[in-house]
Amino acid sequence: MDRRAFVLSLAAMSIAGLPAFAQAPKVEAETVKTWPIGSQYYPTQVRVKPDLAVGSIIIVSDKFFLYHIIAPGVAMRYGVAVGKAELKFRGQAVVARKVEWPSWKPTPEMLERSPENYARYADGMPGGPQNPLGARAMYLYQNGHDTAIRIHGTTSPSSIGHAVSNGCIRMVNDHVIALFDTVPVGTPVTVY
């Protein structure tokens, strides 16, 4: 399927009449108010092409959306932040590792690009609320090798909907926890 056809297929439609197993979880209004993101980036159940593999994750970088296919023709859509233009990851990978409150270490490329921002973390940073990977991380691998790309939480939720990261896919911590809890190791991920 070409990229244009795929992106067009992801347009949200009415979800009336979906079976109960495909219904999105309800979100408490008080929780929604704490997300400093545009409402278009809230978790939303949407219709997608029915031939997309159930369980897979599709990320459309230039639209800032991650789609987790939860049933034939149905996905949960989440807003994300992605890498700056020159750092965007594209391609296919699998979730090969999942970590709660992951530690973080800047890549050699990050240290080279911006030593003033990253040199103090050259030896790494333990997991926790101040860690830039947030509450959860899913590590993307290609052909058994770590891509250094993660789907992860963030300490900067207002970045959702923007190209600001060093290549990873950021999500609001609440959203990445929900995704983490439903995605097994081995999940295929395609990033456009």
Side-chain angles (χ1 to χ4, degrees):
M1 167 188 333
D2 71 41
R3 183 179 183 284
R4 185 175 188 283
F6 174 77
V7 171
L8 291 174
S9 75
L10 293 174
M13 300 174 164
S14 167
I15 58 171
L18 287 177
F21 73 88
Q23 296 297 320
K26 295 204 184 317
V27 177
E28 296 297 324
E30 294 147 28
T31 304
V32 172
K33 291 179 191 171
T34 66
W35 299 334
I37 60 176
S39 60
Q40 71 271 29
Y41 299 120
Y42 291 174
T44 305
Q45 187 169 282
V46 297
R47 285 193 181 271
V48 294
K49 289 191 84 151
D51 59 344
L52 295 173
V54 173
S56 65
I57 294 173
I58 311 286
I59 299 162
V60 182
S61 297
D62 62 350
K63 301 294 184 197
F64 306 105
F65 287 122
L66 178 151
Y67 296 84
H68 180 218
I69 313 305
I70 59 172
V74 183
M76 280 303 297
R77 184 185 73 193
Y78 299 91
V80 296
V82 297
K84 299 172 191 170
E86 70 279 10
L87 302 173
K88 283 183 183 172
F89 173 81
R90 298 277 193 267
Q92 296 183 330
V94 296
V95 173
R97 187 171 161 230
K98 295 171 45 175
V99 179
E100 295 184 23
W101 295 107
S103 59
W104 171 76
K105 184 176 181 180
T107 65
E109 295 80 13
M110 291 168 71
L111 289 166
E112 185 178 320
R113 257 192 325 272
S114 188
E116 68 280 3
N117 290 324
Y118 301 116
R120 67 180 175 224
Y121 302 115
D123 293 328
M125 180 181 193
Q130 302 307 312
N131 186 295
L133 294 184
R136 304 289 185 273
M138 291 164 272
Y139 294 66
L140 302 186
Y141 281 57
Q142 288 179 320
N143 303 317
H145 296 99
D146 189 352
T147 64
I149 301 298
R150 318 286 183 240
I151 298 171
H152 64 82
T154 183
T155 56
S156 182
S158 61
S159 67
I160 303 304
H162 302 281
V164 293
S165 81
N166 280 291
C168 289
I169 294 93
R170 294 182 191 174
M171 300 176 72
V172 170
N173 278 330
D174 292 344
H175 305 170
V176 79
I177 290 169
L179 184 66
F180 183 99
D181 288 347
T182 60
V183 169
V185 167
T187 296
V189 178
T190 302
V191 183
Y192 290 96

